[in-house]
């Protein structure tokens, strides 16, 4: 089954404790992306990747890191999380060149205390 | 500044009452415009891609249209299962960045 998986689905952590949210897709997609969704602000792109070893900043990259060492995986790293990073995070993937038929993961709800 | 504005923010309709959702955009070079459906607690689900003014796409009770400044999602004779948040997004040419609107929450009453 074609899918995007994220782990963990729910996470409560404390300020400053490094964490990684994993994202994996099984569709051989080149394009992968991370978004955060906040009430009243909608979905905002954090980082995206057009292919292995190629990443670019989205609209809200501050406080986040990503890496794309393999085509299927695109982890999101918070080196020193802060309460303003409390949000719902989505990973997505699609074929290269356009996010047409973009598949979204189920979401990770992160709370930073 | 590139942006996407959706209206209305929320819409309540009776079952069978047709209506339209609006997505107006300003972007420096449009690669494509996308519509998604999002159910509570789930990731967005892709509906349509539109690339050029005049283009139309249909799927069941939904029809998406595109002009040079806006897109409409027309819902014909909606059913309660059409209740969801509908998101519009644009991708710009120069860097493939994607910009989402804040969505329209649609509620269809039986």
């Amino acid at each position: 089954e074609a899918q995007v998986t994220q782990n963990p689905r729910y996470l409560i952590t404390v300020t400053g404790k490094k964490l990684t949210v994993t994202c994996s897709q099984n569709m051989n997609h080149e394009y992968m992306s991370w978004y955060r969704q906040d009430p009243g602000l909608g979905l905002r792109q954090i980082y995206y990747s057009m292919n292995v070893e190629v990443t670019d900043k989205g609209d809200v990259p501050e406080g986040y890191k990503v890496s794309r060492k393999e085509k299927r995986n695109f982890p999101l790293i918070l080196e020193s999380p802060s309460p303003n990073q409390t949000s719902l995070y989505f990973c997505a993937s699609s074929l290269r060149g356009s996010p047409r038929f973009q598949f979204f993961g189920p979401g990770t709800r992160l709370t930073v205390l | 500044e590139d942006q996407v504005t959706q209206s209305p923010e929320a819409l309540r309709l009776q079952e069978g009452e047709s209506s339209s959702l609006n997505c107006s955009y300003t972007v420096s070079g449009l690669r494509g415009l996308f519509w998604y459906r999002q159910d509570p607690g789930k990731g967005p689900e892709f509906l349509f891609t539109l690339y050029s003014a005049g283009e139309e796409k249909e799927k069941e009770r939904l029809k998406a249209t595109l002009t040079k400044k806006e897109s409409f999602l027309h819902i014909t004779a909606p059913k309660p299962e059409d209740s969801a948040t509908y998101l519009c997004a644009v991708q710009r040419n120069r860097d493939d960045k994607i910009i989402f609107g804040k969505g329209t929450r649609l509620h269809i009453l039986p």
Side-chain angles (χ1 to χ4, degrees):
Chain A
E1 180 190 353
Q3 60 181 355
V4 177
T5 57
Q6 295 178 227
N7 281 294
R9 293 290 314 281
Y10 304 91
L11 179 61
I12 300 174
T13 189
V14 296
T15 299
K17 185 176 181 182
K18 182 180 178 180
L19 65 92
T20 299
V21 184
T22 64
C23 172
S24 183
Q25 51 93 4
N26 62 0
M27 295 165 281
N28 202 36
H29 283 168
E30 293 91 351
Y31 187 101
M32 296 186 74
S33 183
W34 275 103
Y35 299 87
R36 61 177 290 174
Q37 189 171 38
D38 302 289
L41 296 177
L43 270 167
R44 292 177 293 169
Q45 196 173 40
I46 303 171
Y47 270 96
Y48 62 100
S49 169
M50 296 294 286
N51 215 325
V52 176
E53 301 293 356
V54 179
T55 62
D56 283 293
K57 295 178 181 179
D59 290 318
V60 288
E62 294 78 20
Y64 304 94
K65 286 176 58 177
V66 293
S67 68
R68 189 86 184 275
K69 299 187 189 309
E70 307 167 279
K71 201 172 191 179
R72 65 181 294 130
N73 296 321
F74 191 44
L76 180 69
I77 304 158
L78 285 71
E79 294 270 3
S80 182
S82 62
N84 64 12
Q85 293 179 297
T86 293
S87 187
L88 179 59
Y89 291 87
F90 289 102
C91 179
S93 74
S94 68
L95 291 170
R96 184 175 184 177
S98 170
R100 60 182 298 184
F101 305 122
Q102 186 165 202
F103 284 81
F104 279 80
T108 295
R109 187 165 292 281
L110 173 66
T111 301
V112 184
L113 302 174
Chain B
E1 181 185 349
D2 297 333
Q3 61 181 7
V4 176
T5 303
Q6 291 188 246
S7 62
E9 287 186 18
L11 182 62
R12 293 166 71 92
L13 300 171
Q14 290 295 136
E15 183 172 1
E17 182 184 359
S18 301
S19 188
S20 297
L21 312 182
N22 177 263
C23 171
S24 62
Y25 63 92
T26 53
V27 64
S28 50
L30 179 72
R31 181 182 287 277
L33 182 142
F34 315 98
W35 282 98
Y36 294 86
R37 169 191 172 126
Q38 186 175 24
D39 293 302
K42 296 191 176 182
E45 177 185 340
F46 172 82
L47 292 173
F48 302 111
T49 302
L50 301 166
Y51 292 106
S52 57
E55 191 174 357
E56 298 182 352
K57 294 277 180 71
E58 280 190 75
K59 180 180 180 180
E60 296 179 356
R61 295 177 291 281
L62 300 176
K63 179 180 177 181
T65 61
L66 181 65
T67 71
K68 288 188 177 179
K69 291 184 185 277
E70 59 191 348
S71 176
F72 292 94
L73 184 66
H74 307 278
I75 302 176
T76 302
K79 299 181 178 181
E81 54 261 42
D82 294 322
S83 297
T85 296
Y86 290 85
L87 302 171
C88 173
V90 298
Q91 186 184 27
R92 60 190 190 199
N93 267 328
R94 70 171 187 271
D95 57 7
D96 286 312
K97 191 173 289 188
I98 299 168
I99 305 164
F100 274 85
K102 295 179 182 180
T104 293
R105 294 188 312 278
L106 178 65
H107 186 54
I108 309 299
L109 302 165

